[in-house]
Amino acid sequence: MRSKVKAAILLGLLVAAVPAGAAPAASIGLLPQANEFREALDLSGLWDFKLDPKDEGEGAGWFRGLEGARSIAVPGSWNEQLPDAYDYLGPAWYFRRCTVPRGFKGDRVFLRVGSANYAARVWVNGTLVGEHEGGHLPFAFEVTPLAVAGSPLTIAIRVENELKPTRVPAGNLPPGTRTLMASNPRTTFDFFPYAGLHRPVVLYSVPRTSIEDLTVRTGLEGGAGTVTVKVTQSGGARGARLRLHGEGAEVEAAMTFTASEGEAVLRLPRARAWSPADPYLYELTASLLGPGGREVDRYTLEVGLRTVEVRGTQILLNGQPIFLKGFGRHEDFAVSGRGQNEPVIVRDHALMKWVGANSYRTSHYPYAEEQMREADRQGFLVIDEIPAVSLHFGDGEENVRARLLQCEKDLRELIARDKNHPSVIAWSVSNEAIPGAIDLSGGAARNVDPASTAFLRRLIDLAHGLDPSRPATLVAIMGAPIEWMALGDFVSLNRYFGWYSQPGDVAAGAETFAKELDTIHAQVPRPIVVTEFGADTLPGEHSLEGLMWSEEFQVAFLKAYLDAAEKRDFVAGMHVWCFADFRTGQGTLRAGSLNHKGVFTRDREPKMAARFLRERWGGAGR
């Protein structure tokens, strides 16, 4: 009885007492761009850098300059660039000098950091301008009084990625807390905790009267299309003009504002729908109008017209069933670590096309904005995920509440950033949350704490509230409770029967997998997407008998799972884990500190499994 009362109290705390969380210091929804009214200075390149293991930098005034600094590339992870910093996750300092462009004169000026993993404090000209917690998503601060056009500017950013139980994802959990595997560093997740400035730092300007945000919703019906545009502006514009260009035609609509917001609809009598087969993008231009109808600001956005919905046991794209063929992936490459790497972005999407994939999940955190733009242009369907991997619920109400606040903040920032990408077809609010007990044999968890279900339901509801146009899901670990699986608009499963359980027995593993699919579908009659399945494979390891770790075993494993799914029309997608081998912490299950489940090596050479999938999925150029 006491446990039930305690659960009910915690449930109430989670549902009712947690505030919505603070908004970012400046809008992050629009990627900075340069045009007649806006300027942008990308500060990517070599910065001064210094580790701060004694955490003395702030007190010593390192924000004014770094003595004894060395060079580091931004974007990039410091762990891969500097051999002596490989395992270092504590405070470190970045410092850069630049000159404010003369074109910024008279405008508002902002500093935008694309990603600082995990927490950052930012100084401009020696003045603290703000701080941000949570990796993988951008943040921005207004620095107008400090950024004088034509004058020098100093930027200092203190970054740390300490593993803490209250962070998302968590690390260094208390002794006795259940984790999936032991590793060094002590993460709760199976990928390396890269640290640093992973995406560009941009100094940019906007007019005093400017577009702060754009939200686009598209519709299709009977060959016609609609683009509903909501504009948020600052500075008191009288109105706005919208133009949509594409297919040799142009449509326009006028907009008026109520306070700072306005909305208008652009109608296309004949619309060209966006899809993996035809990822056509229209060009949307929003112009703010000042006195006399004079244009005072402009922003241009690529728009794909498409609809997404879940109906019965199908995921529908533009009203037609779509089957997701693809991968879980990681932003991971030698030397750059998790840093934004444009050649790798291009290569990865080209290789997925070569295999025949049409989809991927941003496992297990938001990817760089350039990844999302490439997905738009190449026609990939993306399940966009916040960093809520391996959530725990058993280490005290205070820790659980702190993680919920961070998850909500991450979800708000992710949807603000990625809401206009046609490639994004769903939001994923967690990956492999950990129930109190894990059964790898296929049975669902029993006696689930209702507070953990309330935690996950709150995130699903928040995603629906922020974006009613897309489904939301959460990814279930083996042994997760059916109550969790039922929360999403479609069921997402990670399954490894024949690898982590029933090891080496592909036939038995596939049989267990098939039976579990049927059992889950009978209880939750919605589409099922298998978001992970795979086997570690050492490149070049071969076995006539098809033994574990060989390339032959990986092919047999993937084939058995794909065959089982093909017989079930309620399975709406299969994502192989994973696209390419990636760096992990050190552990007995990770030879060379790599997860070897990729169908490509870390340097993007194909294993046998990649060629098998190309034959199975009808890859490009076959």
Side-chain angles (χ1 to χ4, degrees), residues 189-211:
F189 47 91
D190 186 30
F191 52 92
F192 193 82
Y194 283 118
L197 297 177
H198 287 152
R199 294 171 196 153
V201 178
V202 180
L203 189 71
Y204 69 97
S205 69
V206 299
R208 296 285 174 172
T209 298
S210 62
I211 297 168

Side-chain angles (χ1 to χ4, degrees), residues 385-399:
E385 190 163 87
I386 63 172
V389 55
S390 302
L391 286 170
H392 285 70
F393 305 100
D395 58 337
E397 295 175 14
E398 185 176 349
N399 285 0

Side-chain angles (χ1 to χ4, degrees), residues 16 20 24 55 69 82 88 114 128 142 158 174 181 237 341 364 440 455 555 575:
D55 198 12
L82 303 172
Y88 182 76
L128 179 66
E142 183 167 3
R158 177 191 181 274
M181 61 185 69
N341 187 323
H364 301 295
L440 296 180
F455 183 116
V555 170
H575 280 178

Side-chain angles (χ1 to χ4, degrees), residues 173-197:
L173 289 171
T177 306
R178 187 179 184 94
T179 57
L180 296 182
M181 61 185 69
S183 68
N184 178 31
R186 285 188 60 207
T187 65
T188 58
F189 47 91
D190 186 30
F191 52 92
F192 193 82
Y194 283 118
L197 297 177

